[in-house]
Amino acid sequence: FAIVVGCSNAPSRVSAPSISAGSASAAAITKYDKNADGTLDDTELKACPGILRAKSRFDKDGDGKISADDISKRIGEWQASKIGLTAYSLQFTLDGQPLNGATVTFVPEDWLGAAVQKGTGTTDATGRVNVAIAPTDLQSNETGLSGMRLGVYKIEVTHPMMQIPAKFNTATEI
């Protein structure tokens, strides 16, 4: 009978980012609530496409508006998931054709704070891209891993040889 005790070379668990749900949700409302009613309607959410596209995940009571409490609860769900990094794989086309060689950047909403970093990737010949945080921006226990934090992002698409419409980059709607 033998017992072997030792250290593992495996990386430690990747933790969900530390986001103050209360501060982040208040900052989101302050940033986007143009009519000052304390909630975000579809018109205001056009400036925050990440929430608009996932509205049903935020608007649990189905009232059609997003409150600071709705945002705070969604952040709480991310944190409860304990997911530190997740894969984001997408496919991009332009005029029905795969978009090869485009840079795709996930820009986190600033109200999430510094715990959620941007990620980038370049599309291949099929238009597919895996978006990930730069290795230099990962925590020490994440070395060698690839992925993104759960969060709310604006997606910007640029290409070195063609003009991408502003609604897909500088004035992104995605």
Side-chain angles (χ1 to χ4, degrees):
F1 183 82
I3 297 177
V4 179
V5 179
C7 297
S8 168
N9 288 332
S12 61
R13 178 170 174 77
V14 176
S15 300
S18 178
I19 302 169
S20 169
S23 296
S25 60
I29 295 296
T30 298
K31 181 172 185 171
Y32 294 115
D33 182 19
K34 300 305 179 194
N35 65 8
D37 70 351
T39 63
L40 306 177
D41 59 31
D42 285 349
T43 301
E44 293 163 322
L45 285 173
K46 286 180 181 177
C48 187
I51 291 180
L52 181 60
R53 300 277 184 208
K55 187 175 173 184
S56 64
R57 294 177 184 229
F58 286 85
D59 185 18
K60 301 290 187 175
D61 62 8
D63 67 356
K65 296 185 177 191
I66 305 299
S67 67
D69 190 52
D70 293 332
I71 296 169
S72 183
K73 286 179 182 175
R74 183 69 180 138
I75 293 170
E77 290 173 2
W78 300 335
Q79 292 169 332
S81 76
K82 299 185 181 191
I83 295 173
L85 289 173
T86 190
Y88 279 92
S89 180
L90 305 128
Q91 184 175 28
F92 286 85
T93 60
L94 182 64
D95 299 326
Q97 298 300 311
L99 184 59
N100 186 17
T103 299
V104 177
T105 305
F106 276 37
V107 180
E109 287 287 345
D110 57 4
W111 44 266
L112 289 171
V116 180
Q117 302 89 355
K118 77 175 183 175
T120 60
T122 302
T123 59
D124 64 16
T126 67
R128 292 211 169 273
V129 61
N130 293 318
V131 181
I133 298 168
T136 55
D137 291 335
L138 292 171
Q139 297 174 17
S140 60
N141 68 321
E142 298 170 337
T143 301
L145 300 177
S146 179
M148 295 291 300
R149 313 266 181 238
L150 298 178
V152 177
Y153 297 89
K154 291 182 178 177
I155 302 173
E156 298 175 352
V157 182
T158 58
H159 196 282
M161 299 176 63
M162 66 178 67
Q163 185 70 29
I164 303 292
K167 69 180 183 176
F168 301 122
N169 56 46
T170 56
T172 186
E173 296 175 4
I174 54 178

